[in-house]
């Protein structure tokens, strides 16, 4: 399972959404109906599953799922 598939599987499981609505160009916040507490959950889940550290500033430019994927992939590259 690649990084994108793993992220999508986590999002489907944790936020109880249909995988069909997750598309790279879709708005992350609107699609998952995230509020501020959901963002905290998202950070904890991603950190636990990928071993990366996310901070509030990381999310400033995150709009789409593609942006989110790029963030995680960059964090993984920097970790290695």
């Amino acid at each position: 399972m690649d990084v994108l598939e793993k992220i999508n599987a986590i999002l489907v499981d944790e936020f109880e959404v249909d995988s069909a609505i997750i598309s790279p160009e879709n708005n992350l916040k609107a699609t998952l109906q995230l509020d501020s507490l959901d963002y905290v959950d998202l950070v904890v889940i991603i950190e636990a599953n990928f071993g990366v550290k996310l901070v509030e500033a990381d999310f400033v430019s995150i709009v789409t799922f593609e942006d989110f994927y790029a963030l995680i992939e960059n964090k993984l590259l920097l970790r290695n």
Side-chain angles (χ1 to χ4, degrees):
M1 180 180 293
D2 72 4
V3 173
L4 302 184
E5 289 173 342
K6 186 172 181 179
I7 292 171
N8 287 348
I10 291 167
L11 296 176
V12 166
D13 185 52
E14 293 296 327
F15 295 98
E16 300 176 353
V17 296
D18 185 344
S19 62
I21 67 169
I22 297 177
S23 179
E25 68 277 354
N26 286 355
N27 183 292
L28 178 77
K29 183 177 180 180
T31 302
L32 298 180
Q33 300 177 353
L34 299 177
D35 61 23
S36 57
L37 289 178
D38 291 328
Y39 271 109
V40 172
D41 290 342
L42 180 60
V43 167
V44 169
I45 292 162
I46 294 299
E47 288 180 347
N49 281 278
F50 291 96
V52 297
K53 181 74 175 148
L54 299 174
V55 295
E56 186 176 341
D58 291 330
F59 287 89
V60 171
S61 62
I62 302 299
V63 176
T64 65
F65 284 92
E66 185 63 41
D67 297 334
F68 186 64
Y69 300 150
L71 168 67
I72 304 308
E73 289 176 330
N74 287 335
K75 291 284 187 173
L76 289 170
L77 286 174
L78 292 173
R79 185 186 69 184
N80 292 334

